Amino acid sequence: MTDGPRVAVVGGGIAGALLAWRLSGHRVDVYTGPVRSDATAASGGLVRAFEADEAACRDALASLTELLGDARLREWAQYRESGSLYRLPAGDGETAAARVALIEQALPGSAEVIEPPHPLLAALGEPAVAVVERQAGNISPHALRNAALAHSGATVCPEPVAAVVADGVILADGQGRDYDAVVVSAGAWTPKLLAASGLPDPALRTKQIQYSVFPRAGSVDRPFVDDITGLYGRTFADGTLLLGLPGQRWDVDPSALTVDAPLATRVRQVAADVLGDRHTGAPDRIVVAADCYHGDPGLRLRPVPGGGSLFTFTGGSGGAAKTAVAASRTAASALLTRIDA
Ligand SMILES: Cc1cc2nc3c(=O)[nH]c(=O)nc-3n(C[C@H](O)[C@H](O)[C@H](O)COP(=O)(O)OP(=O)(O)OC[C@H]3O[C@@H](n4cnc5c(N)ncnc54)[C@H](O)[C@@H]3O)c2cc1C
């Protein structure tokens, strides 16, 4: 391939890999950096359509619908249907019903609003309202990233990028490479890379995400989010149980994360309250990683102010595994339009 614009994608997580795959047929180099534990490798991999926020729900629904309709993507992602349960506070019934109506248009028979008494609510106490999705499930974001990269036709460059400029990238040894467009899709490393390039973006921040893995699942037979306590969880194929709570460690260095011990303790306490005593034992392991958050959350292609043909494709804000399939399609088409203009 000798013609056409040259594109650099910096970052080979699920976002960068799927973007490269969407750009198949074009001249794309993907800079993957050193092998390390990124958000894609650590991700819980829960994919569902329901989100209380309408824009987030539309993003997740578009991705899930495309995933379910494409056998190749399901295989790449190792999709397993598990269903999901999302408990909401009293008073959110109208929001739940509106989002379920949206989901039902694309995936008829998949979602419903339930209220107590209902057998599915027993494990989570007595919620005011909950959304149950049948066609939600688990994927391996790591497997999907690897398959997308392998099928993208892109050139994979393992060198880490030290800085980006309007028309190219600069490697650690000072070598510059020219491109017609550069997309920084380096997840939680994005804010630091932009700052090192003299192009800080105050809308992008990093946040640590942490979950604990417990030896046995007990009664948790489907992934759940409990919006009232913040507790979320899912059972892995080997029977171990992931449980987590939102943390508050902002602006972390993604290469130097440590376990938030008080948060891990709170997970055990809240799990005991919500699920019962059988989940209060010590976890087998605690998984820590970081993600990139945007003030207007969502995995989207955004121009870097003052950056010429420089863009970011990040900002999934802790949820890009469930939106990356559709977001990468939209981003690739927006990028090609910008380059051609
Ligand atoms: C613990 C955890 C659990 C999660 N669970 C879920 C879930 O259940 N469902 C859901 O929808 N979402 C979940 N998420 C969110 C989702 O996994 C992330 O939003 C998504 O993986 C982000 O992908 P990414 O490609 O943007 O970033 P990353 O996966 O972090 O990839 C960024 C890549 O850029 C590379 N890189 C960095 N700097 C450079 C450089 N200078 N040069 C070259 N390469 C570089 C890194 O090595 C890395 O491979 C979770 C996230 C975490 C952390």
Side-chain angles (χ1 to χ4, degrees), residues 67 117 169 178 212 242 253 258 282 287-288 331:
L67 181 73
V169 302
D178 293 343
S212 305
L242 174 164
D253 176 351
T258 55
V287 174
V288 210

Side-chain angles (χ1 to χ4, degrees), residues 23 34 57 120 175 218 247 278:
L23 292 168
C57 185
L120 283 180
Q175 184 198 151
R278 62 196 171 280

